Amino acid sequence: MAQHDIFENRLVVLIGGSGFLGTHVAQDLLRRGARLRVAGRNPEGAFRLKPLAGLGQLQFARCDVTKRDSIANALQGADAVVYLVGTFGAKAQELQADGAGIAAAFAAQQGATAFTYVSAIGADPQSDSAYARTKGDGERQVLASFPDATILRPSILFGEDDNFINMFARLISQFPILPVFGADARLQPLWVDDAAAAIVAALADPQQHGGKTYELAGPDVVTMGEINRRLAAAQGRDRRFWSVPDGLAGLFARLPGTPMGPDQWKLLQRGSVATGTVPGIADLGVTPHPLSLFLERWMLRYRKAGRFGVKTETA
């Protein structure tokens, strides 16, 4: 007898699903036969998923999570919901917390059986970091409206198409000496596909995972300085790295137009490592992959002469 996937013919709504993590979650769900609605301010960012979907399997909806009616329309008929919205901008409370609470309330009214809120390691409603504080408040609001929701707190995510590893890799390929902010900051980076698998696992079994909080972290704890050195080695480049003193880094973060704001600097100083006080990614049935597994292949395009270059040469 043919077995059917639990997601077949179920409508899953990804709020904020056109972003980096959301598109990877979408791919997992499409493979499992879910009907998918990608909702967000710019759903066009997920149009590249169209070739992966069957006829009528994939929908797109424009959704402004600061407007109740917009959220309600996006969640019409939803069987399961994932809230993926995140920001370091001025509207963090509206986008990460209040919008999540409204979405959870509408999902409950719709009769959805699963709701997953993507938070972050370090989320705390009492934090002096706006990002961590509003993520923590988002958790609180979601659970108040949907007590059986699953809270997932990922560490920094990496992937071949990310803005984390690739940003540093580009700089390393161009400059012989580079500053490193928060060189001793400890991170536990997680492959985006492992994070996506954890989200799908939580959705698939809300009876087992509902009402619980999980930390999603990779298998290795590394510092920012070590990440930069690994990237340089994988590119075959001899680079010098300067650890920027914290005081100078904090001043830089306060300057307008810089790529790192004060809130991001606070979070970097504190690192992003699983506390172990709540269940981890293994409790969702996912074995995370280390960054080292991918670097040799991903750094090919940054080597001198690309794939025809020699890793051991310096450039």
Side-chain angles (χ1 to χ4, degrees):
M1 180 181 295
Q3 292 190 353
H4 297 284
D5 193 287
I6 191 171
F7 288 108
E8 284 189 19
N9 296 317
R10 295 182 69 204
L11 176 60
V12 182
V13 179
L14 304 181
I15 301 180
S18 59
F20 173 53
L21 175 56
T23 54
H24 285 260
V25 175
Q27 291 175 58
D28 269 15
L29 289 168
L30 289 172
R31 279 194 294 268
R32 295 189 59 170
R35 291 188 297 122
L36 201 61
R37 182 181 298 150
V38 177
R41 281 188 311 166
N42 300 298
E44 302 87 1
F47 279 6
R48 64 185 182 274
L49 297 170
K50 288 181 178 180
L52 305 179
L55 183 63
Q57 190 184 7
L58 180 61
Q59 309 169 14
F60 300 93
R62 200 167 302 282
C63 177
D64 181 347
V65 298
T66 66
K67 299 178 180 178
R68 297 178 63 89
D69 289 347
S70 185
I71 297 175
N73 290 336
L75 293 183
Q76 288 290 329
D79 295 301
V81 179
V82 184
Y83 196 91
L84 294 137
V85 180
T87 182
F88 282 101
K91 292 187 175 181
Q93 179 66 34
E94 294 175 86
L95 300 178
Q96 296 190 154
D98 300 340
I102 294 168
F106 278 124
Q109 291 173 19
Q110 288 283 333
T113 58
F115 190 103
T116 296
Y117 176 68
V118 179
S119 183
I121 284 180
D124 179 357
Q126 304 303 318
S127 176
D128 62 349
S129 157
Y131 182 85
R133 183 175 63 253
T134 54
K135 282 291 189 182
D137 190 39
E139 295 181 4
R140 181 191 63 79
Q141 291 197 42
V142 165
L143 291 172
S145 295
F146 202 119
D148 288 332
T150 304
I151 306 298
L152 301 181
R153 297 174 176 170
S155 182
I156 290 176
L157 302 179
F158 69 85
E160 190 169 12
D161 53 338
D162 70 15
N163 290 319
F164 174 62
I165 292 298
N166 284 295
M167 177 181 68
F168 296 114
R170 281 191 296 270
L171 292 171
I172 288 168
S173 71
Q174 295 169 3
F175 300 103
I177 302 176
L178 295 105
V180 179
F181 296 90
D184 296 324
R186 299 168 70 247
L187 310 174
Q188 208 166 346
L190 178 68
W191 186 33
V192 64
D193 283 355
D194 289 333
I199 291 170
V200 173
L203 286 180
D205 194 350
Q207 289 189 329
Q208 172 68 23
H209 305 300
K212 296 180 181 178
T213 297
Y214 295 85
E215 290 179 325
L216 309 182
D220 299 326
V221 176
V222 294
T223 66
M224 278 299 302
E226 186 177 356
I227 288 173
N228 278 272
R229 290 190 292 272
R230 287 187 183 186
L231 293 174
Q235 290 183 21
R237 297 185 185 275
D238 183 14
R239 293 294 186 249
R240 292 180 60 190
F241 297 102
W242 173 52
S243 298
V244 180
D246 286 353
L248 186 58
L251 177 62
F252 173 83
R254 289 192 294 273
L255 295 175
T258 58
M260 178 178 64
D263 208 47
Q264 290 163 297
W265 171 237
K266 285 180 184 177
L267 293 171
L268 178 59
Q269 285 182 293
R270 293 165 190 173
S272 184
V273 176
T275 65
T277 58
V278 296
I281 193 169
D283 295 289
L284 288 160
V286 179
T287 301
H289 298 73
L291 175 61
S292 58
L293 187 65
F294 307 96
L295 282 188
E296 291 296 315
R297 175 165 53 88
W298 290 354
M299 291 300 106
L300 276 176
R301 65 182 183 272
Y302 294 107
R303 290 182 193 167
K304 189 176 181 180
R307 70 177 59 195
F308 301 105
V310 179
K311 179 188 168 188
T312 55
E313 71 181 35
T314 60

